[in-house]
Amino acid sequence: MSDFDPAAFLPDDLLDRIRERAPIHDRENTFPQQDLDELRDAGYLAILVPRERGGAGLGLAEAAILQQRLATAAPATALAINMHLVWTGVAKVFSDRGVPGLEFVQDGAVRGEVFAFGISEGGNDLVLFGSDTDARPLDGGGYAFTGTKIFTSLAPVWTMLGLHGLDTTSADAPKLVFAFIERTDAVATSDDWDTLGMRATQSRTTRLDDAVADAAHVVRRIDPDPNPDPIVFGIFSVFEILLASVYTGIARRALDLAVLTVQSRRSTLRQAQGPVQRAYSQDPDIRWRIADMALAYDALPPQIASLARDVDELADNGARWFTLLSGVKHRAITMSKHVVDQAMLTAGGGSYFSSNELSRLYRDVLAGAFHPSDPESAHATAASAWLGPLDS
């Protein structure tokens, strides 16, 4: 990764255009179609696809850096693209470990197809380990899915939706079925995304009524409940690392904006010789606050890079994987919210106006607490790792 140049994949001029459009999509509650089009044209949708299949051949470590960079321009665009990159990342996890089944995702990404993430369900705290969506087996090996998925980012534009459901009728039931469906009349997308922040993701509710995945797009059938299947590890590792990356990018942008603000603002001091103008950057309290933000931020990029390299290099972290992955996501969210809070205080009352970029970052960062793993899950995972499971 020493010769990796993020600007080669996300040039400054592209980021500038994406940054200019971000407040418009936030204000109008619209999907950033132009961002997607430009990123697709730049080959960004295939950064995790191997070169031999037509992609950029990057690893998860490089993708994490790029997502941090993209999030400094438009957090909601980065978060939406994250969900596509999760599936291409899982496909890379599969291919790196010799597991077949997701080659169609890699080939589709190279063609410009958009893959969305249809796992979240209202009230389903099991997330990857259970589903309230019915998966009905069909002749020939396909499945028909009926249920409701929430927080389906990329809702207006996806071409294939990766999802899971529970097969309760086969001879070996119950089985969790992971598959991909195309957009048909059996899929209804609600226009219900009107949120406090991350508005451009357009993560709308998706209702399935016998939506069919053909046999070629049924990826895994596994036992419900926690297990080490590659689909579980792939989704969990890529999702948590890229999610942590987006929110770490938000923190970096907030820190940069705070620094720019205190370097340009002036305060008037009353001294014996008369009023004296001094830059806010010379105020000891302001300097402490900037330092506090930097100390918090600096811890996360190395953690993300280390875990991403472990995934890329097939490291064996054993049972610690889930604690490490949920932990880095939790720390990224906690850090980012702290940094944005501090940036708002540092920048002063001007940041309270909705036209101020920090105001948008303040709203966007709040979404982090609602992504898996939530604080309760992360702490429960860590407690079980260090103390053992709860007594039954």
Side-chain angles (χ1 to χ4, degrees):
M1 200 170 70
S2 58
D3 58 350
F4 170 64
D5 178 14
F9 297 90
L10 282 176
D12 290 341
D13 59 338
L14 173 56
L15 285 181
D16 288 344
R17 291 192 297 274
I18 290 174
R19 179 175 287 115
E20 288 174 5
R21 293 189 288 257
I24 299 171
H25 292 299
D26 174 72
R27 183 173 61 252
E28 297 179 355
N29 195 29
T30 52
F31 181 79
Q33 182 66 54
Q34 215 171 341
D35 294 357
L36 175 63
D37 292 343
E38 290 202 58
L39 289 167
R40 180 194 278 120
D41 291 344
Y44 198 79
L45 299 186
I47 56 173
L48 286 167
V49 177
R51 287 192 181 93
E52 58 268 24
R53 300 196 82 93
L58 299 185
L60 185 58
E62 290 91 350
I65 292 171
L66 289 173
Q67 283 298 92
Q68 291 172 53
R69 181 170 167 82
L70 181 57
T72 65
T77 295
L79 186 60
I81 296 297
N82 241 29
M83 302 310 162
H84 168 90
L85 293 179
V86 167
W87 284 124
T88 60
V90 175
K92 176 175 166 50
V93 167
F94 272 37
S95 61
D96 286 350
R97 289 157 179 77
V99 180
L102 283 175
E103 293 81 4
F104 71 90
V105 170
Q106 296 176 326
D107 296 340
V110 171
R111 292 193 303 269
E113 288 196 51
V114 179
F115 294 88
F117 194 71
I119 299 296
S120 296
E121 299 167 340
N124 177 19
D125 294 334
L126 296 173
V127 193
L128 286 176
F129 305 132
S131 176
D132 295 327
T133 297
D134 179 63
R136 180 171 58 86
L138 303 174
D139 292 341
Y143 272 88
F145 292 86
T146 298
T148 300
K149 302 292 185 177
I150 61 173
F151 298 138
T152 313
S153 300
L154 301 165
V157 297
W158 61 261
T159 57
M160 295 198 79
L161 178 67
L163 76 171
H164 72 342
L166 189 64
D167 174 358
T168 60
T169 60
S170 292
D172 59 350
K175 289 288 184 181
L176 271 179
V177 182
F178 290 82
F180 288 77
I181 62 170
E182 297 178 351
R183 193 187 290 272
T184 67
D185 291 342
V187 180
T189 300
S190 301
D191 188 7
D192 59 351
W193 190 249
D194 187 8
T195 50
L196 181 66
M198 289 294 185
R199 287 160 63 81
T201 65
Q202 290 302 300
S203 306
R204 304 173 186 178
T205 300
T206 303
R207 292 181 173 81
L208 313 168
D209 185 10
D210 273 349
V212 173
D214 60 39
H217 295 146
V218 175
V219 180
R220 305 291 282 184
R221 295 178 73 255
I222 66 173
D223 293 331
D225 301 322
N227 69 77
D229 191 90
I231 191 72
V232 174
F233 174 75
I235 292 174
F236 197 78
S237 60
V238 179
F239 186 93
E240 297 291 78
I241 288 170
L242 291 184
L243 198 69
S245 299
V246 168
Y247 286 91
T248 297
I250 293 176
R252 176 54 188 261
R253 180 60 177 171
L255 176 55
D256 287 344
L257 288 172
V259 169
L260 288 171
T261 300
V262 302
Q263 288 176 335
S264 61
R265 290 184 66 190
R266 296 288 186 272
S267 62
T268 301
L269 302 178
R270 295 187 179 279
Q271 297 187 348
Q273 65 270 33
V276 176
Q277 289 284 315
R278 185 177 70 172
Y280 268 66
S281 60
Q282 299 303 303
D283 184 306
D285 293 331
I286 294 293
R287 293 176 68 86
W288 184 94
R289 199 180 295 279
I290 293 289
D292 182 63
M293 295 162 65
L295 290 169
Y297 164 77
D298 281 344
L300 263 296
Q303 293 180 46
I304 294 170
S306 178
L307 270 183
R309 281 195 303 271
D310 276 0
V311 176
D312 288 335
E313 297 171 4
L314 281 62
D316 183 8
N317 286 316
R320 294 197 65 217
W321 265 121
F322 288 98
T323 304
L324 294 172
L325 292 165
S326 61
V328 78
K329 181 269 177 181
H330 173 73
R331 288 190 295 276
I333 301 304
T334 302
M335 175 277 296
S336 184
K337 188 175 186 305
H338 171 73
V339 168
V340 174
D341 284 344
Q342 293 288 77
M344 293 280 288
L345 292 172
T346 300
S351 65
Y352 193 62
F353 285 84
S354 59
S355 59
N356 190 293
E357 185 176 353
L358 277 172
S359 172
R360 175 162 49 82
L361 297 183
Y362 184 81
R363 291 182 289 106
D364 282 350
V365 80
L366 296 178
F370 300 102
H371 302 294
S373 297
D374 63 22
E376 293 80 10
S377 175
H379 282 80
T381 301
S384 293
W386 288 93
L387 299 173
L390 286 168
D391 294 337
S392 56

